[in-house]
Amino acid sequence: MQGIILSNETNALTLAELPKPTLKPGQCLVKLSAAALNRRDYWISVGKYPGIQPEVVLGSDGCGVVVDGPDTWKGKTVLINPNVNWGASEQHQSSDYSVLGMPTQGTLAEYIAVDEDRLMQKPVHLSDEEGAALPLAGLTAFRATFVKAKVTAGKKVLVTGVGGGVSQMAAVMAIAAGAEVYVTSSSEDKLNKARKLGATAGFNYQGAEWVKEAKSVGGFDAIVDSAGGNALNDYLKLIKPGGKIVHYGSTTGKPQELDLFRLFWSQASIIGSTMGSDREFEQMVAFVEEHQIRPAIDGVYALSSGVEAIERMADSSQFGKTVIRMEA
Amino acid sequence: MQGIILSNETNALTLAELPKPTLKPGQCLVKLSAAALNRRDYWISVGKYPGIQPEVVLGSDGCGVVVDGPDTWKGKTVLINPNVNWGASEQHQSSDYSVLGMPTQGTLAEYIAVDEDRLMQKPVHLSDEEGAALPLAGLTAFRATFVKAKVTAGKKVLVTGVGGGVSQMAAVMAIAAGAEVYVTSSSEDKLNKARKLGATAGFNYQGAEWVKEAKSVGGFDAIVDSAGGNALNDYLKLIKPGGKIVHYGSTTGKPQELDLFRLFWSQASIIGSTMGSDREFEQMVAFVEEHQIRPAIDGVYALSSGVEAIERMADSSQFGKTVIRMEA
């Protein structure tokens, strides 16, 4: 079968011919119809992810049909839970946790072998491409938005950098939950797309006055962010007393300082969030089904163009997920 | 009567002759026997507190006897809740909140007029000096430790800078609740004092290896801190996955950067805390009574030496509270 790996020889992403996985007891063989990219794949491709190993199939998100394994699963179209060894605690992942797709074999290939407890049936309202786009982004967005930021109906929420796969899902999930959702982006086009999905308003964070504009709507109960950097001090100006700023990434790096006085006087919290528990994965899929949520898909590429698709993530121009179709 | 104010003429702390307060309906006149100092008084004295106003009696903590007002209170020895207009939310103070003692008349005087809902009877196990030492530090420590850091029996807690009035109370309260309490200080003497009060171990944060030493005890469920500064990045190394770092002050200023990757990967939170609600004040006094807790008192000064006592706070050499006796 074909799959995308980081080649040991060239140290670059390569579409390679690989052996079809063999099954261990309790595992299912999934013939993937679609996979989706995550920023994680891009970070790995540029050597900026912890624990990089060569010759391992990348990819954390997949949708396909079970072609071998226990009879209860055979023939079903499934999504794959991207958690590997989350562990027993709802609060945090275990010390031997990893995300599917390095060090374990991932989804950017024609087949994958996974433990049957990683599988969930694809919600019927989703296409295979949409199903593939859901797992990692949906889980990360669900935990950040509901478990950590405690977003509920009527709360005012700011979701930053709304083009990303997770932030787009966070915005759509918060809207579905009845929250009043605001977004930021550097792209007017992305702000418009978010408004069409139900966001109340958007702010262009490249504008000199965006913090003032955002403040004029009266402060936010929660801010969901993966940019990090110095914007954190702006968020401390925008958060309501007692509000929650949730970070699930730090793509712009570390803030150069942090206004702790504002943090403690406003009784605010800065809360870290990564992925989500296996229970939250089930809750997320149920929530997506209940609210008939569809992940935004920015583009669909063949597996043969997968390497270029990953390299294309460098400029963050996409709105929503980049999906890879396995079939020729 | 005599009271300590920031003089409009000299712009310095002064013991001045002032009119005895007159009562509004529902108020009580308290003849103070003791007051206690807080870092707030020092910040005001050096011009580093928001909203400084001259000619107002300083002081947030007081204990005394009700000598005028409703009959239900007359003759009783009371503590004063230092919250002014906390407001209806348990989550945060209202927008017109202030701490007793500027802009409202404070406790560093022979008499104070306060609304009767600010009064609580002094727990009988406390002397007047101990009673005066309790309110602000006790309330701040109670909220930071139990409401924000969620410390319960068996949790491992690090309380930093254990000499301070609040941190000393936080350590003693956490010990009383059955937590395993560790402390930091730059003073071996203070570390020893904390161990005598029941702390499991102490770390001298001026030692090059203190983070390594602290890590060797296995990580903390919660860290309660008022130093802020770059130590925050050390705390992110010491916190257990899912743990809570609570800040109620930032005496060493803003951290020069913040390791957000560690924050989100470890599912940790940085939580701001200021004072506490009126309900928490009642809970705190009840907790202190139940566990027979006594605030540590570093020294007792006459009101006539109060100005020097405030100036002395510059070097942070004290362990626990500095108390002012009103009687000659």
Side-chain angles (χ1 to χ4, degrees):
Chain A
M1 70 167 192
Q2 292 200 301
I4 295 175
I5 60 167
L6 205 64
S7 161
N8 204 10
E9 287 168 29
T10 62
N11 201 25
L13 293 181
T14 315
L15 183 63
E17 191 60 38
L18 302 162
K20 203 164 146 182
T22 50
L23 294 189
K24 290 176 197 146
Q27 284 197 318
C28 292
L29 185 69
V30 179
K31 183 177 191 320
L32 290 154
S33 53
L37 301 184
N38 291 289
R39 195 134 288 276
R40 179 180 191 274
D41 304 306
Y42 172 73
W43 291 126
I44 290 172
S45 78
V46 294
K48 291 191 175 170
Y49 198 87
I52 291 176
Q53 293 179 17
E55 308 288 326
V56 177
V57 174
L58 298 185
S60 311
D61 280 326
C63 176
V65 175
V66 177
V67 292
D68 198 4
D71 282 345
T72 45
W73 283 106
K74 245 188 257 180
K76 286 186 175 152
T77 302
V78 293
L79 310 180
I80 302 168
N81 176 345
N83 283 333
V84 180
N85 302 321
W86 175 273
S89 170
E90 286 299 307
Q91 306 302 314
H92 57 84
Q93 67 276 36
S94 70
S95 58
D96 63 346
Y97 177 74
S98 65
V99 176
L100 185 67
M102 204 164 73
T104 48
Q105 298 285 342
T107 58
L108 287 167
E110 293 173 271
Y111 293 90
I112 186 171
V114 286
D115 295 346
E116 61 176 318
D117 72 354
R118 299 298 87 191
L119 299 181
M120 280 195 77
Q121 276 201 266
K122 178 182 70 66
V124 289
H125 75 287
L126 298 180
S127 68
D128 280 22
E129 285 88 347
E130 289 167 337
L134 184 64
L136 188 148
L139 178 59
T140 305
F142 186 85
R143 180 174 178 90
T145 306
F146 299 124
V147 181
K148 297 279 188 139
K150 312 266 189 221
V151 168
T152 54
K155 298 276 183 186
K156 269 162 107 166
V157 185
L158 181 69
V159 178
T160 70
V162 76
V166 180
S167 53
Q168 188 271 332
M169 280 301 294
V172 169
M173 285 177 170
I175 291 164
E180 191 180 325
V181 175
Y182 299 79
V183 296
T184 73
S185 176
S186 60
S187 151
E188 293 296 332
D189 181 49
K190 290 184 189 178
L191 294 175
N192 283 331
K193 282 179 176 156
R195 275 188 283 257
K196 274 183 197 143
L197 292 170
T200 302
F203 310 105
N204 189 323
Y205 62 72
Q206 289 188 327
E209 300 286 287
W210 89 266
V211 176
K212 203 186 265 183
E213 282 169 43
K215 213 170 168 61
S216 72
V217 308
F220 302 102
D221 298 289
I223 297 176
V224 179
D225 176 76
S226 71
N230 288 329
L232 188 45
N233 291 296
D234 290 331
Y235 304 157
L236 284 170
K237 293 176 192 158
L238 293 173
I239 199 79
K240 280 188 194 173
K244 294 170 197 302
I245 301 170
V246 174
H247 287 281
Y248 60 88
S250 56
T251 49
T252 67
K254 300 175 182 182
Q256 287 310 297
E257 61 170 32
L258 179 67
D259 188 349
L260 286 180
F261 181 86
R262 224 178 253 276
L263 177 83
F264 71 74
W265 187 253
S266 71
Q267 313 266 6
S269 304
I270 301 174
I271 300 170
S273 190
T274 295
M275 300 291 285
S277 70
D278 290 344
R279 192 168 71 109
E280 286 159 11
F281 186 75
E282 289 176 27
Q283 291 170 338
M284 180 276 289
V285 176
F287 183 88
V288 162
E289 196 148 28
E290 181 192 346
H291 295 279
Q292 299 281 297
I293 289 171
R294 292 168 185 277
I297 291 176
D298 185 68
V300 181
Y301 299 81
L303 182 60
S304 56
S305 306
V307 171
E308 294 133 74
I310 293 173
E311 286 164 357
R312 219 169 215 159
M313 294 179 91
D315 69 0
S316 295
S317 64
Q318 72 276 10
F319 186 87
K321 302 291 288 181
T322 299
V323 172
I324 307 294
R325 281 282 330 175
M326 297 309 157
E327 290 154 334
Chain B
M1 70 166 191
Q2 293 199 300
I4 293 175
I5 60 166
L6 204 64
S7 161
N8 203 10
E9 286 168 27
T10 62
N11 200 26
L13 293 181
T14 315
L15 183 64
E17 191 60 37
L18 302 162
K20 201 164 146 181
T22 50
L23 294 190
K24 292 176 195 148
Q27 284 196 319
C28 292
L29 186 69
V30 179
K31 184 177 190 318
L32 290 153
S33 52
L37 302 183
N38 291 289
R39 196 133 287 273
R40 179 179 190 275
D41 304 306
Y42 172 73
W43 292 126
I44 291 171
S45 79
V46 293
K48 289 190 176 173
Y49 199 87
I52 291 176
Q53 294 178 19
E55 308 289 326
V56 177
V57 173
L58 297 185
S60 311
D61 279 327
C63 177
V65 175
V66 177
V67 292
D68 198 4
D71 281 345
T72 45
W73 283 106
K74 245 188 257 181
K76 287 188 173 147
T77 302
V78 293
L79 310 181
I80 301 168
N81 176 345
N83 283 333
V84 180
N85 302 319
W86 175 274
S89 171
E90 287 297 310
Q91 306 302 313
H92 57 84
Q93 68 275 38
S94 70
S95 58
D96 63 344
Y97 176 73
S98 65
V99 177
L100 185 67
M102 204 165 73
T104 48
Q105 299 285 339
T107 57
L108 287 167
E110 292 173 272
Y111 293 91
I112 185 171
V114 287
D115 296 346
E116 60 175 319
D117 73 354
R118 299 299 86 191
L119 299 181
M120 280 194 76
Q121 276 201 266
K122 177 181 72 63
V124 290
H125 74 288
L126 298 180
S127 69
D128 280 22
E129 285 88 346
E130 289 167 336
L134 184 66
L136 188 147
L139 179 59
T140 304
F142 187 85
R143 180 176 180 86
T145 306
F146 298 125
V147 181
K148 297 279 188 139
K150 313 266 189 219
V151 168
T152 53
K155 297 276 182 187
K156 268 162 107 167
V157 184
L158 181 69
V159 178
T160 70
V162 76
V166 180
S167 53
Q168 188 271 333
M169 281 302 294
V172 169
M173 284 176 170
I175 291 163
E180 191 180 326
V181 175
Y182 298 79
V183 297
T184 74
S185 175
S186 60
S187 151
E188 294 297 331
D189 181 50
K190 291 184 189 178
L191 294 176
N192 283 332
K193 282 179 176 156
R195 274 188 283 256
K196 273 184 198 142
L197 291 170
T200 302
F203 310 104
N204 189 324
Y205 61 73
Q206 289 186 328
E209 300 284 287
W210 89 266
V211 175
K212 203 187 266 186
E213 281 169 44
K215 214 170 168 64
S216 73
V217 308
F220 302 102
D221 298 290
I223 297 177
V224 179
D225 177 76
S226 71
N230 289 330
L232 187 47
N233 291 297
D234 291 331
Y235 304 157
L236 283 170
K237 293 175 193 160
L238 294 173
I239 199 80
K240 280 188 194 171
K244 295 170 196 299
I245 301 170
V246 174
H247 286 281
Y248 60 88
S250 56
T251 49
T252 66
K254 301 174 182 181
Q256 287 310 297
E257 61 170 31
L258 180 66
D259 188 349
L260 286 180
F261 180 85
R262 225 179 252 276
L263 178 83
F264 71 73
W265 187 252
S266 70
Q267 314 267 5
S269 304
I270 302 173
I271 300 170
S273 190
T274 295
M275 300 291 283
S277 70
D278 289 344
R279 191 166 71 108
E280 286 159 10
F281 186 76
E282 288 175 28
Q283 291 171 338
M284 180 276 289
V285 176
F287 183 88
V288 162
E289 198 147 27
E290 182 191 344
H291 294 278
Q292 300 281 298
I293 289 171
R294 294 167 183 277
I297 291 175
D298 185 68
V300 181
Y301 299 81
L303 183 59
S304 56
S305 306
V307 170
E308 293 134 74
I310 293 173
E311 286 165 356
R312 218 169 216 161
M313 295 180 90
D315 70 0
S316 295
S317 65
Q318 71 276 6
F319 187 87
K321 303 291 289 181
T322 300
V323 172
I324 308 295
R325 283 281 331 175
M326 297 309 157
E327 289 153 336

